[in-house]
Amino acid sequence: MTVSPRKRDVLSISDIAGDLPELLRRASRLKAERKRGALRPILRGRHLAMIFEKPSTRTRTSFEVAMNDLGGHALYLSSKDLQLGRGETIADTARVLSRFVDAICYRAYRHADMVELARWATVPVVNALDDLEHPCQIVADLQTMHERWRGRFRGHRLAWVGDGNNVLHSLLLGAAAVGLDLTAAVPSGYDPRPDLMDAARKLAHGTRARIELTHDPQAAVRGADAIYTDVWVSMGDEAEKAARETAFAGFQVNAALLDLAAPTAFVLHDLPAHRGQEITDDVLDGPRSAAWDQAENRLHAQKAILELLLRPRASPRRRR
Ligand code: CP
Ligand code: NVA
């Protein structure tokens, strides 16, 4: 296998840890340019293949609109409709798509499949969510906090209330990389993976971010500057639904929990929400909800990531 020297993958947010300050700056600038109608077609002639094994509203749409806004083109490819669904290998799919497109984003069940696709693709591969991480989500989340805190992460503390899942894994690494203090409250038995915790703590050495884990949601939220939650039952965890609903019962983000946070604290949710489970209607729809800005920022963050990977134009697509 020949690997292009210019190929760069984003399988984990740690792959772009050093780029985060610049990505956030570019995402804000691209947001302002879009609002002024001043975006330039910097990805003209570039093509993004988007392979989805699971449903998506935000990730799919934001990638597609991001490519169109920047003069490029995106193709939605459901894994069920590809020959992948009939047993063509990930490796062969990666090699063929790399002859057609300039980058591939992939929403997968298994992180091992993400790694396999990246191994064989000769164009950049971007993780659009798998069972281990959701890196693009966290770029938009950091952008949302960055905007509300006027560009300062230091001195603010984010509390996570919920599952030790893919979103938390990327958030731990992302917070550590930018120097944001993060206290994660998860039910016993639903801790984030220890290797991801270790990686986050290692990254935090350089930025002096405090990364903490607890099983007490009230303790995590007390005095926090923002609260972030996600579904109790992620895609792929449906068989555990009943057990999870019992385990997560004390982990709802509601008005009483929000009362413990700083008076200026706001609430983040990556969406889709299961209203009445991890978050109540009054909080998600209330004045302290940042979830809608956060969803919009997926578009601007996606553009910054695509720009990083696809511009300036690399050598002509590899022929093997
Ligand atoms: N937050 C997020 O990734 O949403 P989708 O599943 O709709 O893409
Ligand atoms: N943790 C959730 C995130 C959805 C965007 C899931 O994996 O289903």
Side-chain angles (χ1 to χ4, degrees):
M1 184 178 59
T2 325
V3 174
S4 161
R6 293 176 187 274
K7 169 178 152 71
R8 183 165 181 200
D9 301 315
V10 182
L11 306 193
S12 162
I13 196 156
S14 54
D15 294 330
I16 46 171
D19 300 289
L20 284 170
E22 175 62 9
L23 282 172
L24 298 181
R25 205 181 57 76
R26 281 300 296 153
S28 291
R29 186 165 295 181
L30 289 160
K31 182 174 184 171
E33 284 176 8
R34 187 175 206 255
K35 293 200 192 302
R36 291 202 311 274
L39 284 170
R40 285 170 303 117
I42 55 179
L43 298 185
R44 188 169 15 224
R46 314 291 258 163
H47 299 275
L48 172 72
M50 311 190 297
I51 307 176
F52 280 79
E53 292 180 359
K54 304 176 185 176
S56 169
T57 298
R58 282 141 289 267
T59 308
R60 171 187 174 175
T61 312
S62 58
F63 265 121
E64 185 159 343
V65 175
M67 284 302 288
N68 288 343
D69 268 359
L70 298 179
H73 174 245
L75 304 89
Y76 174 74
L77 304 169
S78 161
S79 61
K80 286 195 278 298
D81 298 334
L82 293 171
Q83 296 286 9
L84 257 182
R86 294 181 56 246
E88 185 170 18
T89 66
I90 290 174
D92 291 353
T93 305
R95 293 160 78 188
V96 170
L97 289 180
S98 296
R99 302 284 181 108
F100 296 139
V101 302
D102 302 282
I104 304 170
C105 79
Y106 182 26
R107 173 163 286 194
Y109 277 97
R110 294 167 4 105
H111 186 69
D113 291 341
M114 184 72 61
V115 172
E116 175 74 355
L117 188 86
R119 177 171 173 240
W120 289 97
T122 54
V123 296
V125 171
V126 181
N127 183 345
L129 179 147
D130 60 24
D131 56 352
L132 190 65
E133 282 207 47
H134 194 4
C136 300
Q137 175 70 52
I138 273 52
V139 181
D141 303 342
L142 293 173
Q143 184 188 351
T144 309
M145 290 181 267
H146 201 249
E147 285 170 348
R148 290 186 177 233
W149 294 331
R150 297 174 191 280
R152 282 178 56 85
F153 289 116
R154 189 161 309 288
H156 292 103
R157 188 170 63 82
L158 172 64
W160 170 271
V161 178
D163 194 11
N165 63 14
N166 46 7
V167 175
L168 177 59
H169 288 156
S170 292
L171 189 65
L172 286 161
L173 295 166
V178 299
L180 169 63
D181 293 344
L182 171 59
T183 312
V186 301
S188 296
Y190 295 91
D191 287 9
R193 268 183 31 178
D195 54 334
L196 270 290
M197 278 303 288
D198 288 348
R201 289 199 163 118
K202 256 188 213 126
L203 267 176
H205 279 315
T207 62
R208 289 181 290 125
R210 282 207 323 244
I211 303 294
E212 288 166 343
L213 185 63
T214 172
H215 297 126
D216 180 346
Q218 276 83 18
V221 162
R222 203 163 284 121
D225 300 294
I227 304 173
Y228 193 161
T229 191
D230 183 22
V231 289
W232 294 345
V233 183
S234 283
M235 294 178 276
D237 290 338
E238 290 79 3
E240 301 170 16
K241 185 170 183 287
R244 284 176 168 268
E245 285 173 4
T246 306
F248 284 78
F251 285 72
Q252 184 183 69
V253 176
N254 52 32
L257 195 74
L258 185 51
D259 265 352
L260 300 175
T264 53
F266 53 89
V267 175
L268 297 161
H269 192 310
D270 52 315
L271 305 175
H274 285 74
R275 291 166 174 264
Q277 283 203 345
E278 77 276 1
I279 194 162
T280 53
D281 286 335
D282 57 325
V283 171
L284 185 58
D285 298 329
R288 296 169 75 180
S289 170
W292 314 108
D293 291 339
Q294 184 186 3
E296 180 195 321
N297 283 339
R298 295 295 309 276
L299 173 62
H300 313 299
Q302 233 69 297
K303 282 180 190 162
I305 296 166
L306 290 165
E307 182 189 42
L308 175 77
L309 299 178
L310 294 178
R311 191 186 176 227
R313 182 181 276 278
S315 57
R317 275 172 223 139
R318 293 186 66 80
R319 304 274 181 255
R320 291 197 287 147

